[in-house]
Amino acid sequence: CWRNRFGEYNCSRCEKCLRTMVHLYVWGVLKDFKTFKNDIDLKLVSRLRLSKSYIRYFTTALDKLVKKNDNTVLVKAIRSCIDKSVNVDLKTKILLGIRKFINELDVKYTKGRLFYLLNRRGLIN
């Protein structure tokens, strides 16, 4: 996990952790990885907004789940995630750009503490 909050190996909530968890689930080995403390949070998956470079990871997982006819709830969450990431309006693009810029400042100057504080209060995920 790139967030590595409080020394947690994986937060199980960020895009990177969720992406990894989805693929481990697809391959049937998620339960073997005890570093992920939770099941896949479907709400978080469905609300993710992915950059173009990460959409393909979720598309690959989606294809495998559909072929296996497995976990329709997860399929629905991934489809929602992909749809939100592909069909982005101008306002959302601007907000995502601002969020990315703030995140870069947060990482550079506070080592991610601002994100952690806002996340703990439920203001962002």
Side-chain angles (χ1 to χ4, degrees):
C1 178
W2 65 279
R3 290 281 183 200
N4 197 7
R5 300 177 315 196
F6 291 117
E8 295 173 323
Y9 194 71
N10 291 305
C11 73
S12 304
R13 298 181 53 81
C14 70
E15 183 277 330
K16 184 177 181 185
C17 282
L18 291 169
R19 177 173 20 113
T20 303
M21 292 170 74
V22 164
H23 276 81
L24 291 172
Y25 176 85
V26 167
W27 292 105
V29 295
L30 177 59
K31 64 186 178 314
D32 298 333
F33 287 81
K34 305 299 180 204
T35 57
F36 294 106
K37 61 183 177 227
N38 304 319
D39 292 331
I40 299 171
D41 187 325
L42 299 174
K43 277 187 182 176
L44 289 178
V45 171
S46 67
R47 290 188 301 184
L48 278 175
R49 294 208 188 253
L50 306 169
S51 65
K52 288 181 184 177
S53 58
Y54 293 130
I55 292 173
R56 67 186 169 102
Y57 293 109
F58 282 87
T59 303
T60 301
L62 178 63
D63 291 344
K64 290 185 185 315
L65 287 171
V66 169
K67 284 179 186 173
K68 290 172 31 176
N69 196 25
D70 187 19
N71 200 335
T72 56
V73 179
L74 180 56
V75 165
K76 184 177 177 182
I78 294 172
R79 280 190 175 136
S80 175
C81 166
I82 292 170
D83 184 52
K84 285 179 183 167
S85 301
V86 171
N87 301 313
V88 181
D89 61 5
L90 181 60
K91 177 184 170 187
T92 304
K93 284 181 184 180
I94 292 169
L95 291 174
L96 290 172
I98 292 169
R99 180 178 171 149
K100 180 180 178 186
F101 177 70
I102 292 171
N103 181 58
E104 290 168 359
L105 292 176
D106 180 32
V107 169
K108 183 175 182 178
Y109 295 109
T110 71
K111 297 185 175 148
R113 290 185 193 107
L114 178 61
F115 175 89
Y116 176 75
L117 175 68
L118 295 174
N119 183 266
R120 292 282 290 192
R121 295 190 178 191
L123 299 173
I124 60 173
N125 60 11

